[in-house]
Amino acid sequence: MTLAPGSKLGPYEIVGLLGAGGMGEVYRAKDERLKREVAIKVLPASFSQDADRLRRFEQEAQAAGVLNHPNITAVYDLGSHDGAPYIVTELLEGETLRSRLSAGSLPARKAIDYAVQIARGLAAAHEKGIVHRDLKPENLFLTRDGRVKILDFGLAKLKTEKEGEAQTEMKTISGTEPGVVLGTMGYMSPEQVRGKAADRRSDLFSFGAILYEMLSGQRAFRGDTAADTITAILTKEPPDISQTNKDVHPGLDRVVRHCLEKNPEERFESARDVAFDLESLSNVSGIGIPKTGDVGPAPSSAHGGLRWSLAALAVLLALALGAAGGLFAAKHMSENRTVSFRQLTFRRGQVLSARFAPDGETILYTAAWDGRPMELFTTRLDSPESRPFGLVGAELLSIASTGEMAVSLGRRSQGGFTRVGMLARLGMTGGGAPKDVREDVLYADWSPDGKDLAVVRDAGGKSQLEYPIGNVLYASAGWLSHPRVSPSGDEIAVIEHPTTDDDGGYVLLLDKSGHKKKISGDFASILGLCWERAGREVWFTASRIGFNRFVHAAKRSGAVRVLAVATGGMTIEDVSRSGRVLLSQDKARQGIVAFAPGMEKERDLSWLDWSLVAGISSDGNTILFDESGEGGGAGYSVYARKLDGSPAVRLGEGSAQALSPDGKLALAIVHPSSDPKVVIYPIGPGDPRFLETPGLTVQAAAWLPDGNRLLLSANESGRGIRTYIYELGSKKSRALTPEGYRLFSSGVSPDGRFFAVSGPDRKPYLYPLEGGEPTPLAIEGSWFPTGWSADGGSLFLRRRGEIPESVRRLDLKTGSVSPFLVLMPGDSAGVTSVGSTRITPDGRAYAFSYLRSLADLYVVEGLK
């Protein structure tokens, strides 16, 4: 059906034919009602008899109709005329990207501009569950005012409820077999040409092919026949863009290559991530990209940090050091003019550890990508690709000069910042199973000759450094991390954290006789440590306040200087023999989600940047939490907040512990130095009350039901941790448990008879308050108590390290366990842990914290 100018189509008057394609004819028309010109796409009546074509046409209207974005063609209306359905869209003036590319490649500035707009439009569609599936230059329109519009969602797929469902039941080119070959040859993803399910990552592959063509002027995949093109898509990499465009920034080339990964699991996770990386490149090159769309706020440094700033660390360093360090900063900047930062990983998730192989070019690292378990990966400096090593659930600890690896198998969280597992040895080439060495190892590092290992082990609640294994050099009342043997082999540098649930601390230097020396000041967060290649300094990453860790260097004399500054938390992973540095950079935030009767749904009660819930009142109206990040300050801050969402009230300094039984007082621990103080803060009016606990280094505290006594888990005179009872009236304390028993956050039973503890074996026990032997909880797996029921007959249990977190209810009389809650934030992107759960005794209200962390791995050259 061809419509003549002047004819009517519903309320629209046809002006003329704009074009025709496999899905129908497109006309320019007038809408007299709104006095505007529109475009009308008409499916011929003969086609409307084809149920498959009709379904696709209606799907286009439905898909595009729910989208409202500046980079997607707006849909105004849908109708039918003489049996022929039509769709009315905005009328665009300009040309297709295909037409523009007929003149050759685009300048990098313009290509990035268009690519960012396309990525934003795709992000808007993908967030609605819509996949385009036929992205190509013909379906991208360039308006006269510089906007890009995505056309033709005729092949779009509304997201199915079954994620594994086949892409479509439509026929292939042969017309006889199930599967699909929908899409345009040359821009289709490998999974599409195979007839497999296509999700948003298929669009990203097509996007990568288009961006490649914009930059190079040539198609990424093209053969003499359709079979040749399919073969290229499945097995070949397109030629380097630099062959035709030498002005392309290496970072831009890596974005293209990352989009064109054959395996969809190895591509970008989302179009939003692509847009962010492209915008970062535009910032580096000084290219300004106009904000043409709103798909939500541009991704912050929570995804990979402020990447362009990594190349300008010297400038940030000058700002950070201030006037007092101005001369030093200027000198340092002059020395480090050639410092370069190159990104090695591009997926969304957490980087846990990384090491150079002996060749200095190969890198092995452990990461937990896209919500999956931790896994070992390998990459090289000359490639942006990472490959699985084949070891899931393991964490890399060290690589010897001989090429042998030390890994931790069955790695599991102990709570706080510590993970523990079975130390094993394994060759870098794979081949054979790992050989178990020692249980309960947190960290390990090879000696320079590759014959011995220095390890940090958990031993009955104590963290101890052994070198070689079995020879204890030092035991800490807190915990130790990141031991590294000096290049000479006669010293070990290690980080000591005085408090078990905190990452603050300092650097210690020990010799083989166990003589130790503190060579740095105290830091609020200190994670990551290496020796400078010549062994003259220890390099570490730490911050005075919060989690924005900088790279520092400490001499044996105790002199400390700053090497590099950036936003986000940097962790130094390794230094190669050539002086290259491996750094991971993450932007993490801890938040709180809560629910109480009367709420329609869970409410996010996050306050600043590191909100950790510590208590919930029995009536479910108030939560107690602390802020230990940038916002909380050097000594952290304790807050109370109503579950109705009203503003939080700062009670004072310290780490929050528990609310009193009547909900009127808050218990906290203040850490002014190595001598923590227990403090009671009134929720309402009144002054704080500091408690005297002579000889005790308190690490955890809880109320007894009478409100007049406390339970304190503390160290006394260098001994292992024990749990004490403290009388508020008499200010006296006495030990209730032997060493190794630490109080759980679940506290004391409502009748005051029992309290839950973690024993020397890290397993949960019920300890009688009036004396006697502890009773192990008859539960399998890593479940531990997080609260009591009102009658004291049940315990709420949570499993450490589980995402989402399951909460179960244990009947103490029968031993039966039943499901109770499953906890996970509504927005699960980048969530690496859920925990610190608090539940009211009646089980009707709860609050939990979650950690969201997104990290990238960088190789740095030129630091000195």
Short mmCIF file of all heavy atoms in Angstrom, two decimals, residues 15 40 64 72 77 97 123 169 177 190 199 204 215-216 253 397 422 507 535 587 610 617-618 696 714 716 752 775 804:
data_model
loop_
_atom_site.label_atom_id
_atom_site.label_comp_id
_atom_site.label_asym_id
_atom_site.label_seq_id
_atom_site.Cartn_x
_atom_site.Cartn_y
_atom_site.Cartn_z
N VAL A 15 2.46 13.75 3.56
CA VAL A 15 3.16 14.77 2.78
C VAL A 15 3.99 14.12 1.68
O VAL A 15 4.02 14.61 0.55
CB VAL A 15 4.06 15.63 3.69
CG1 VAL A 15 4.89 16.61 2.87
CG2 VAL A 15 3.22 16.36 4.71
N ILE A 40 5.63 8.65 9.91
CA ILE A 40 4.70 7.53 10.09
C ILE A 40 5.26 6.30 9.39
O ILE A 40 5.58 6.35 8.20
CB ILE A 40 3.30 7.85 9.52
CG1 ILE A 40 2.70 9.07 10.23
CG2 ILE A 40 2.38 6.65 9.68
CD1 ILE A 40 1.33 9.44 9.74
N ALA A 64 9.42 1.01 22.09
CA ALA A 64 9.77 2.42 21.99
C ALA A 64 8.81 3.30 22.77
O ALA A 64 9.18 4.37 23.25
CB ALA A 64 9.79 2.84 20.52
N ILE A 72 16.76 8.53 21.88
CA ILE A 72 15.90 7.50 21.30
C ILE A 72 14.72 8.20 20.63
O ILE A 72 14.12 9.13 21.20
CB ILE A 72 15.39 6.52 22.37
CG1 ILE A 72 16.56 5.78 23.00
CG2 ILE A 72 14.40 5.52 21.77
CD1 ILE A 72 16.17 4.86 24.14
N ASP A 77 2.28 7.80 18.61
CA ASP A 77 0.94 7.21 18.43
C ASP A 77 1.09 5.86 17.75
O ASP A 77 2.12 5.54 17.15
CB ASP A 77 0.09 8.15 17.56
CG ASP A 77 -1.40 7.78 17.63
OD1 ASP A 77 -1.78 6.93 18.46
OD2 ASP A 77 -2.17 8.35 16.84
N LEU A 97 23.84 7.66 10.30
CA LEU A 97 25.27 7.49 10.50
C LEU A 97 25.89 6.78 9.30
O LEU A 97 27.03 7.06 8.92
CB LEU A 97 25.53 6.70 11.78
CG LEU A 97 27.00 6.41 12.11
CD1 LEU A 97 27.79 7.70 12.28
CD2 LEU A 97 27.10 5.56 13.38
N ALA A 123 21.57 2.66 27.42
CA ALA A 123 21.42 2.47 28.87
C ALA A 123 19.97 2.68 29.28
O ALA A 123 19.42 1.93 30.09
CB ALA A 123 22.33 3.43 29.62
N GLU A 169 11.59 -17.53 18.89
CA GLU A 169 11.23 -18.78 18.24
C GLU A 169 11.12 -18.59 16.74
O GLU A 169 10.70 -19.47 16.01
CB GLU A 169 9.89 -19.30 18.79
CG GLU A 169 8.68 -18.45 18.42
CD GLU A 169 8.59 -17.19 19.26
OE1 GLU A 169 9.38 -17.04 20.19
OE2 GLU A 169 7.72 -16.36 18.98
N GLU A 177 14.42 -23.98 10.45
CA GLU A 177 14.98 -24.42 11.72
C GLU A 177 14.75 -23.40 12.81
O GLU A 177 14.66 -22.21 12.54
CB GLU A 177 16.48 -24.66 11.55
CG GLU A 177 16.80 -25.74 10.53
CD GLU A 177 18.28 -25.88 10.33
OE1 GLU A 177 19.03 -25.23 11.08
OE2 GLU A 177 18.69 -26.64 9.45
N PRO A 190 28.55 -12.58 18.49
CA PRO A 190 28.75 -14.03 18.29
C PRO A 190 27.56 -14.86 18.76
O PRO A 190 27.19 -15.84 18.11
CB PRO A 190 30.01 -14.31 19.12
CG PRO A 190 30.76 -13.02 19.12
CD PRO A 190 29.69 -11.95 19.17
N ASP A 199 21.32 -10.58 25.08
CA ASP A 199 20.92 -9.62 26.10
C ASP A 199 21.60 -8.29 25.80
O ASP A 199 22.09 -8.07 24.69
CB ASP A 199 21.26 -10.15 27.50
CG ASP A 199 22.76 -10.41 27.70
OD1 ASP A 199 23.57 -9.95 26.86
OD2 ASP A 199 23.10 -11.07 28.68
N LEU A 204 26.04 -4.19 23.11
CA LEU A 204 27.34 -3.57 23.33
C LEU A 204 28.36 -4.07 22.31
O LEU A 204 29.27 -3.33 21.92
CB LEU A 204 27.83 -3.85 24.76
CG LEU A 204 26.96 -3.26 25.88
CD1 LEU A 204 27.62 -3.50 27.23
CD2 LEU A 204 26.73 -1.78 25.66
N LEU A 215 35.78 5.19 13.96
CA LEU A 215 37.16 5.61 14.17
C LEU A 215 38.09 5.20 13.03
O LEU A 215 39.05 5.91 12.72
CB LEU A 215 37.68 5.01 15.48
CG LEU A 215 37.03 5.53 16.76
CD1 LEU A 215 37.40 4.64 17.93
CD2 LEU A 215 37.43 6.97 17.02
N SER A 216 37.82 4.05 12.40
CA SER A 216 38.73 3.52 11.38
C SER A 216 38.26 3.77 9.95
O SER A 216 39.07 3.72 9.01
CB SER A 216 38.91 2.01 11.57
OG SER A 216 37.71 1.32 11.28
N ASP A 253 40.89 2.76 22.15
CA ASP A 253 41.02 1.46 21.50
C ASP A 253 40.65 0.34 22.46
O ASP A 253 39.99 -0.64 22.08
CB ASP A 253 42.45 1.27 21.01
CG ASP A 253 42.65 -0.07 20.31
OD1 ASP A 253 42.11 -0.24 19.20
OD2 ASP A 253 43.33 -0.94 20.89
N LEU A 397 47.91 -15.33 47.07
CA LEU A 397 48.62 -14.68 48.17
C LEU A 397 50.01 -14.21 47.77
O LEU A 397 50.44 -13.13 48.17
CB LEU A 397 48.73 -15.64 49.37
CG LEU A 397 47.40 -16.14 49.95
CD1 LEU A 397 47.68 -17.05 51.15
CD2 LEU A 397 46.50 -14.99 50.36
N MET A 422 42.74 -22.32 53.60
CA MET A 422 43.82 -23.30 53.58
C MET A 422 44.93 -22.81 52.65
O MET A 422 44.72 -22.60 51.45
CB MET A 422 43.29 -24.65 53.07
CG MET A 422 44.38 -25.68 52.76
SD MET A 422 45.31 -26.22 54.20
CE MET A 422 44.09 -27.37 54.91
N VAL A 507 52.74 0.38 60.31
CA VAL A 507 53.69 -0.57 59.73
C VAL A 507 54.72 -0.99 60.77
O VAL A 507 55.31 -0.14 61.45
CB VAL A 507 54.41 0.04 58.51
CG1 VAL A 507 55.40 -0.97 57.92
CG2 VAL A 507 53.39 0.46 57.45
N GLY A 535 64.75 -2.43 48.24
CA GLY A 535 64.67 -2.76 49.66
C GLY A 535 65.00 -1.60 50.58
O GLY A 535 65.21 -1.80 51.78
N LYS A 587 36.13 2.34 44.90
CA LYS A 587 35.25 3.30 45.55
C LYS A 587 34.18 2.49 46.24
O LYS A 587 33.37 1.82 45.60
CB LYS A 587 34.63 4.26 44.52
CG LYS A 587 33.89 5.42 45.14
CD LYS A 587 34.83 6.39 45.84
CE LYS A 587 34.09 7.60 46.37
NZ LYS A 587 35.00 8.54 47.06
N TRP A 610 29.97 5.43 55.31
CA TRP A 610 30.30 4.11 55.86
C TRP A 610 29.41 3.82 57.06
O TRP A 610 29.84 3.75 58.19
CB TRP A 610 31.78 4.06 56.25
CG TRP A 610 32.37 2.69 56.12
CD1 TRP A 610 32.62 1.80 57.12
CD2 TRP A 610 32.78 2.05 54.91
NE1 TRP A 610 33.15 0.65 56.61
CE2 TRP A 610 33.27 0.77 55.26
CE3 TRP A 610 32.76 2.43 53.57
CZ2 TRP A 610 33.75 -0.12 54.30
CZ3 TRP A 610 33.25 1.55 52.62
CH2 TRP A 610 33.73 0.29 52.99
N SER A 617 16.30 -0.75 68.43
CA SER A 617 15.51 -0.76 69.66
C SER A 617 14.44 -1.85 69.57
O SER A 617 13.99 -2.22 68.49
CB SER A 617 14.87 0.60 69.89
OG SER A 617 14.01 0.95 68.81
N SER A 618 14.03 -2.35 70.73
CA SER A 618 13.09 -3.46 70.76
C SER A 618 11.74 -3.11 70.16
O SER A 618 11.03 -3.98 69.68
CB SER A 618 12.91 -3.97 72.20
OG SER A 618 12.45 -2.91 73.04
N LEU A 696 42.17 -3.34 80.74
CA LEU A 696 41.43 -4.01 79.68
C LEU A 696 41.47 -3.19 78.39
O LEU A 696 41.20 -1.98 78.41
CB LEU A 696 39.96 -4.24 80.08
CG LEU A 696 39.69 -5.16 81.27
CD1 LEU A 696 38.19 -5.30 81.47
CD2 LEU A 696 40.34 -6.52 81.06
N ALA A 714 37.55 -8.34 75.79
CA ALA A 714 38.74 -7.50 75.92
C ALA A 714 39.99 -8.33 76.07
O ALA A 714 39.94 -9.53 76.40
CB ALA A 714 38.58 -6.56 77.12
N GLU A 716 43.68 -8.48 78.14
CA GLU A 716 44.26 -8.00 79.39
C GLU A 716 45.74 -8.34 79.42
O GLU A 716 46.11 -9.51 79.36
CB GLU A 716 43.55 -8.64 80.58
CG GLU A 716 44.07 -8.17 81.94
CD GLU A 716 43.31 -8.81 83.09
OE1 GLU A 716 42.52 -9.74 82.82
OE2 GLU A 716 43.53 -8.40 84.24
N GLY A 752 18.71 -13.28 80.58
CA GLY A 752 20.02 -13.04 81.17
C GLY A 752 20.79 -14.28 81.54
O GLY A 752 21.80 -14.20 82.24
N THR A 775 28.08 -24.38 75.67
CA THR A 775 27.36 -25.36 74.87
C THR A 775 27.48 -25.01 73.39
O THR A 775 27.08 -23.91 72.98
CB THR A 775 25.86 -25.39 75.24
OG1 THR A 775 25.74 -25.66 76.64
CG2 THR A 775 25.12 -26.43 74.42
N PRO A 804 22.71 -13.11 48.38
CA PRO A 804 22.07 -12.37 49.47
C PRO A 804 22.25 -13.13 50.79
O PRO A 804 22.59 -14.31 50.80
CB PRO A 804 20.60 -12.34 49.06
CG PRO A 804 20.55 -12.72 47.63
CD PRO A 804 21.73 -13.60 47.39
#
